[in-house]
Amino acid sequence: MTTSEAVENLSVDACWELLRSTTVGRLAVQTANGPDIFPINIAVDGGTIVFRSAEGTKVSAALNGPVALEVDGRNSDTDHAWSVVVKGHTQRIHKSEEVLATVDLPLVPWHKGDKPVFLRVQPRQVTGRRFPIAGPEAWWTPISEAPVTSED
Amino acid sequence: MTTSEAVENLSVDACWELLRSTTVGRLAVQTANGPDIFPINIAVDGGTIVFRSAEGTKVSAALNGPVALEVDGRNSDTDHAWSVVVKGHTQRIHKSEEVLATVDLPLVPWHKGDKPVFLRVQPRQVTGRRFPIAGPEAWWTPISEAPVTSED
């Protein structure tokens, strides 16, 4: 993806700060039928991200392959938006002492459905970008710039 | 994924109405290194979703395999949140008349970086859920319900 001067790559520290600032993320997993994506409530626990879920195909997919977790937001004061992506692997939290540590985290479930499974994303890579939100002048594509070719 | 009575599966019509209500979504793609996910500005165009991007590995991944696009939001009046997922394939918009139709859509780019590529997601499946946002009483996991087993 090309970037313009307007896009700022964030430091890993800044990424973690943003991860800690939010409780909702989206998890992308690979399934046999292609990628799937679902919103989750997250909490940072040390250098990992913890979330709860119910058993099911999505949890299986998360446990059986790499995942990508994205959080984003916008700062209306500065007209900036940001996006942080964590890539890694997911592990089930087994041990009671681990869960006891986890339940102290602000894992606010978005809905009350039964979510007995605690999962932990171990990051392999954490990246983030911050960029000014485009103004109305950028809403429209000038016809002269519209792609008219048919190359692939 | 198991659901509780609190979770409502949305009709396809309701999903499209929600898709039209928002301009930001997250696209999940499959890469050789696992899933990737990135925020995009979207617009509904007929029965498809259009977005703009710059050339790059993410666009290549979107064009070379199935994708999953998720939008979500919350209604603070009713304390409900919702999530809609579109699964399908992505096509490059080539023809000038297609682009001319597209530029009338409210494709507000989140940032001003050069985004010359117009892409269209052709849905194979559209699903959505709506669920009440859990109250504070559901924030904490009672110790008695915490998983203490080590089965897989």
Side-chain angles (χ1 to χ4, degrees):
Chain A
M1 195 167 191
T2 60
T3 56
S4 75
E5 289 180 352
V7 179
E8 177 191 357
N9 289 320
L10 299 173
S11 70
V12 172
D13 284 350
C15 290
W16 282 105
E17 188 175 340
L18 290 166
L19 282 163
R20 283 190 294 266
S21 75
T22 185
T23 58
V24 177
R26 290 89 190 170
L27 191 75
V29 299
Q30 280 183 194
T31 75
N33 297 320
D36 203 351
I37 180 171
F38 51 105
I40 56 175
N41 292 112
I42 63 164
V44 171
D45 183 26
T48 70
I49 293 108
V50 174
F51 66 100
R52 297 173 61 179
S53 186
E55 295 283 0
T57 54
K58 289 169 182 172
V59 167
S60 297
L63 289 169
N64 290 330
V67 300
L69 167 67
E70 195 258 2
V71 297
D72 56 51
R74 56 191 293 174
N75 185 330
S76 54
D77 292 338
T78 62
D79 265 353
H80 277 77
W82 54 269
S83 171
V84 171
V85 175
V86 176
K87 294 178 185 171
H89 282 81
T90 307
Q91 301 168 336
R92 190 185 292 261
I93 297 178
H94 288 298
K95 298 176 183 172
S96 57
E97 58 265 42
E98 282 191 275
V99 174
L100 294 185
T102 302
V103 294
D104 282 341
L105 296 169
L107 269 181
V108 186
W110 244 17
H111 70 84
K112 301 176 189 173
D114 193 25
K115 301 204 166 199
V117 185
F118 285 75
L119 298 164
R120 185 186 304 278
V121 177
Q122 292 280 0
R124 173 176 56 82
Q125 184 187 60
V126 179
T127 55
R129 299 183 307 140
R130 188 171 63 170
F131 40 86
I133 297 171
E137 75 279 6
W139 289 19
W140 308 99
T141 300
I143 301 303
S144 60
E145 290 179 21
V148 293
T149 59
S150 60
E151 86 286 323
D152 205 2
Chain B
M1 194 167 191
T2 59
T3 56
S4 74
E5 288 181 354
V7 178
E8 177 190 358
N9 289 320
L10 299 174
S11 70
V12 172
D13 284 349
C15 290
W16 281 106
E17 187 174 341
L18 289 166
L19 282 163
R20 282 190 295 266
S21 75
T22 185
T23 59
V24 177
R26 290 88 191 169
L27 191 75
V29 299
Q30 279 182 195
T31 77
N33 297 319
D36 202 352
I37 181 172
F38 51 104
I40 56 174
N41 292 111
I42 64 163
V44 171
D45 183 26
T48 70
I49 293 108
V50 174
F51 66 100
R52 296 173 62 179
S53 187
E55 295 283 0
T57 54
K58 288 169 182 172
V59 167
S60 298
L63 290 169
N64 289 330
V67 300
L69 166 68
E70 194 258 2
V71 298
D72 55 50
R74 56 192 293 174
N75 185 329
S76 54
D77 291 338
T78 62
D79 265 353
H80 277 78
W82 54 268
S83 171
V84 172
V85 175
V86 176
K87 294 179 185 169
H89 283 79
T90 306
Q91 301 167 337
R92 190 185 292 262
I93 298 179
H94 287 297
K95 297 175 183 172
S96 57
E97 57 265 40
E98 283 190 275
V99 174
L100 293 184
T102 303
V103 293
D104 281 340
L105 296 169
L107 269 181
V108 186
W110 244 17
H111 71 83
K112 301 176 189 173
D114 193 25
K115 301 204 166 197
V117 185
F118 286 75
L119 299 164
R120 187 187 301 280
V121 177
Q122 292 280 0
R124 173 175 56 81
Q125 183 187 61
V126 179
T127 56
R129 298 183 308 141
R130 189 172 65 167
F131 39 86
I133 297 170
E137 74 280 3
W139 288 20
W140 308 99
T141 300
I143 301 303
S144 61
E145 290 179 21
V148 293
T149 59
S150 59
E151 86 287 325
D152 206 0

